[in-house]
């Protein structure tokens, strides 16, 4: 069982299955302070966030609410709707890193949403300070340090707490991503009702299975656009959106950029979570798949 800062968090703390066989691709690493001590945002499909808070506060991740203490580590998964607040608004400073993981699973481990570093926290905080102080240190240099921190809080993959129906559903989605895929057919395969599967997905990820599948396709498309020179048409077919007009529209709605722009910006430090039209929206307020949405239409909750 992963270390937890508060005992009553055991029922809401979750594990995620990560591949740590190679260093992550660090997009951003630095220090942030929230005005008012609170921020809401939507994590992009291809990014993970790791946060080292100096002080106590509350994390709302989908439908889960987790109390944390200063000196802990928060791991926020792709696609999640996040609300992060601090008990004292004037003490909302925290270190963070935004990173992507290599494709495939070569060395799976389990990492919890909430982990406790104890006395080691100050060492890691100083390390993050050093990594942001020197201008000659690049994101490639920072990657081994983020990798080491993830290994520090990792546990054996068998400890992943996830409902077996979700594991089977995700596996079928991944295996059949390039084909037409119906959620009702998935439920028949699993012998589960759509309402039950929808509830499981929303409890675990904050989105329903249809949106989860779409985000999975978008994440795979973005990875292929960045890491390969495959033609756009081939990538669109590989992720199950063979209609090029629909493929372009889907990426624009989900990422805020066209497929060509994503490919050309592969080496940039763009924060796609900021460009996402759903930025700051809770799951029930996200745009419906297939509808045209612009940034001005996305209004975060107050």
């Amino acid at each position: 069982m992963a270390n937890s800062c508060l005992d009553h968090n055991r029922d809401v703390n979750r594990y995620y299955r990560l591949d740590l066989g190679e260093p992550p691709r660090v997009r951003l690493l630095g220090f942030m302070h929230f005005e008012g001590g609170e921020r809401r945002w939507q994590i992009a499909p291809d990014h993970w966030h790791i946060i080292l808070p100096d002080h106590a506060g509350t994390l709302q991740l989908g439908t889960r609410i987790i109390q944390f203490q200063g000196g802990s580590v928060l791991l926020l998964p792709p696609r999640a709707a996040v609300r992060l607040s601090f008990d004292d608004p004037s003490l909302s400073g925290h270190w963070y890193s935004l990173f992507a993981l290599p494709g495939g699973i070569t060395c799976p481990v389990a990492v919890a949403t909430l982990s406790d570093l104890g006395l080691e926290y100050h060492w890691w905080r100083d390390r993050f300070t050093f990594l942001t102080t020197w201008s000659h240190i690049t994101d490639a240099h920072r990657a081994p340090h983020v990798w080491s921190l993830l290994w520090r809080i990792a546990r054996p993959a068998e400890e992943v707490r996830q409902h077996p129906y979700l594991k089977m559903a995700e596996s079928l989605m991944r295996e059949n991503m390039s084909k037409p895929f119906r959620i009702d057919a998935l439920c028949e395969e699993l012998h589960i009702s759509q309402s039950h599967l929808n509830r499981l997905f929303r409890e675990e990820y904050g989105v329903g299975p249809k949106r989860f599948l779409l985000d999975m396709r978008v994440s795979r498309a973005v990875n292929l656009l960045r890491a390969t020179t495959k033609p756009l048409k081939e990538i669109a077919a590989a992720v199950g959106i063979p209609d090029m007009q629909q493929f372009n529209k889907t990426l624009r709605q989900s990422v805020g950029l066209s497929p060509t722009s994503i490919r050309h910006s592969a080496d940039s430090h763009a924060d796609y979570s900021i460009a996402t039209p759903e930025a700051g929206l809770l799951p029930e307020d996200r745009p419906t798949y297939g509808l045209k949405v612009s940034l001005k239409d996305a209004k975060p909750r107050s």
Side-chain angles (χ1 to χ4, degrees), residues 5-301:
C5 291
L6 294 178
D7 289 342
H8 65 263
N9 280 326
R10 289 176 180 171
D11 59 337
V12 291
N13 199 15
R14 301 287 178 85
Y15 286 92
Y16 300 101
R17 193 167 182 256
L18 275 61
D19 176 19
L20 297 185
E22 299 177 15
R25 297 187 300 275
V26 174
R27 310 295 295 181
L28 293 170
L29 187 151
F31 183 82
M32 183 175 291
H33 186 280
F34 299 154
E35 287 189 20
E38 178 180 310
R39 183 191 172 196
R40 301 176 187 225
W41 74 99
Q42 171 76 39
I43 298 179
D46 57 336
H47 284 156
W48 291 79
H49 284 204
I50 195 165
I51 292 176
L52 285 74
D54 272 347
H55 302 279
T58 301
L59 169 68
Q60 181 176 341
L61 196 61
T63 59
R64 292 181 284 141
I65 296 179
I66 302 175
Q67 303 292 329
F68 60 84
Q69 300 293 332
S72 58
V73 181
L74 303 176
L75 178 68
L76 314 181
R79 297 176 287 267
V82 180
R83 174 179 173 269
L84 185 65
S85 60
F86 289 82
D87 294 347
D88 185 341
S90 66
L91 300 175
S92 64
H94 63 276
W95 293 100
Y96 76 97
S97 178
L98 182 144
F99 63 93
L101 292 169
I105 298 292
T106 60
C107 189
V109 298
V111 181
T113 303
L114 174 64
S115 300
D116 184 11
L117 287 175
L119 296 177
E120 290 183 35
Y121 173 78
H122 299 285
W123 186 90
W124 284 103
R125 185 184 62 183
D126 292 344
R127 176 58 58 92
F128 271 54
T129 302
F130 172 81
L131 293 173
T132 57
T133 299
W134 296 91
S135 59
H136 66 279
I137 297 179
T138 67
D139 287 336
H141 296 135
R142 296 181 180 110
H145 301 278
V146 175
W147 194 27
S148 295
L149 176 57
L150 290 170
W151 271 111
R152 166 62 184 82
I153 59 178
R155 296 292 182 271
E158 309 83 65
E159 295 185 9
V160 174
R161 292 178 180 176
Q162 189 180 62
H163 197 285
Y165 280 129
L166 288 178
K167 290 184 179 180
M168 290 186 285
E170 287 182 39
S171 178
L172 288 171
M173 288 179 178
R174 192 169 289 107
E175 292 171 4
N176 298 280
M177 187 183 299
S178 63
K179 306 172 186 176
F181 198 92
R182 298 197 341 264
I183 300 302
D184 59 342
L186 172 64
C187 292
E188 290 180 10
E189 177 78 16
L190 299 177
H191 303 289
I192 185 176
S193 69
Q194 289 195 50
S195 60
H196 189 190
L197 185 65
N198 185 69
R199 179 177 62 80
L200 291 175
F201 267 89
R202 288 192 175 277
E203 287 178 352
E204 185 77 19
Y205 303 111
V207 295
K210 184 177 180 180
R211 182 70 207 193
F212 184 90
L213 174 61
L214 176 63
D215 287 342
M216 182 183 287
R217 284 172 163 159
V218 168
S219 178
R220 178 60 176 161
V222 169
N223 286 334
L224 289 173
L225 288 167
R226 289 176 173 173
T228 74
T229 58
K230 292 182 178 180
L232 298 185
K233 194 169 184 179
E234 183 177 337
I235 292 176
V239 299
I241 315 176
D243 183 289
M244 290 305 298
Q245 183 176 2
Q246 187 64 47
F247 180 64
N248 184 72
K249 181 188 294 186
T250 299
L251 287 184
R252 283 186 177 275
Q253 288 180 345
S254 298
V255 181
L257 297 171
S258 68
T260 303
S261 297
I262 294 172
R263 171 160 281 171
H264 289 165
S265 63
D267 296 325
S268 74
H269 298 284
D271 183 351
Y272 288 97
S273 65
I274 301 302
T276 304
E278 296 102 308
L281 294 178
L282 293 179
E284 60 268 25
D285 295 329
R286 296 175 193 171
T288 303
Y289 172 57
L291 297 181
K292 184 176 181 180
V293 178
S294 63
L295 284 172
K296 65 182 178 60
D297 297 319
K299 298 179 180 179
R301 279 187 175 184

